[in-house]
Amino acid sequence: MTSNAQRFTVGLTGGIGSGKTTVANLFGELGASLVDTDAIAHELTVPGGLAIDAIRERFGAGFIDASGAMDRARMRSHVFGNAGARHELEAILHPLIRSQTARAAEAATGAYIIFVVPLLVESGTWVGRTSRVLVVDCEEEVQIGRVMRRNGLQRHEVEAIMAAQASRFARLAVADDVIENNDGNAALPPLVQALHARYLALADAAG
Ligand code: ATP
């Protein structure tokens, strides 16, 4: 990310269903450049994706489905509880995620960049690499309700996903800025507008 070394950047994170995508899109509408690391990771394993050849070579053609995409269900069950296989998959994906993220950042034309990183706290490699960390936070009950509704999951399934993620406390501990997203959607735009104005001023000062 050399040419972006001086650019003002924000790492946006939050737990499952906290509202990261909703908040990021509002920043995008105001003119921030969005770089979504989950979307970048997903792109690597679609047909023709940059990770497909390496996955076929390492894991075998059985892990590539008829469309040419990685067989997600098969890979998920293969790496579940198999740390060696999971590390091998990560060794393929992580460098590509890093390079594609850097490329997207270099191509960004907005006044500043928002990296959407669901596992920013968990990954360890992101903390300290952006000018600021913005956490989208909400009450756990609100989070559970949203994900149950959106994904048609049972409460215990959502709780299991949340238990595997960083705690709300750990996330808030690294936050420079926090957007509380407990209320309806109408509450968000003024919060985002205020932070956007602040980020523009900081980007100006940094540039
Ligand atoms: P994930 O980590 O699962 O991708 P996310 O943090 O990106 O989730 P969103 O997809 O933005 O979260 O929001 C989760 C769900 O909650 C969506 O269905 C979204 O429409 C809804 N939602 C988000 N914020 C609010 C809000 N303030 N009021 C009502 N619904 C909301």
Side-chain angles (χ1 to χ4, degrees), residues 14-23 38 116 118 136 142 146-147 149-151 165 181-188:
I16 183 169
S18 58
K20 295 179 293 296
T21 309
T22 308
V23 168
D38 252 9
V116 184
V136 180
V142 175
R146 278 191 199 140
V147 179
R149 267 194 303 283
R150 186 192 59 186
N151 297 30
Q165 295 189 339
N181 186 24
N182 293 305
D183 303 319
N185 277 315
L188 286 175

Side-chain angles (χ1 to χ4, degrees), residues 64-116:
I64 308 298
D65 69 19
S67 75
M70 180 177 78
D71 185 334
R72 277 166 212 287
R74 179 150 188 218
M75 187 59 87
R76 204 177 300 121
S77 66
H78 181 62
V79 302
F80 184 77
N82 182 345
R86 185 161 52 79
H87 288 145
E88 282 179 308
L89 180 63
E90 287 172 356
I92 294 171
L93 296 178
H94 286 180
L96 288 169
I97 293 171
R98 272 198 294 279
S99 59
Q100 292 304 98
T101 299
R103 276 178 70 146
E106 272 164 28
T109 55
Y112 65 94
I113 301 172
I114 294 200
F115 295 101
V116 184

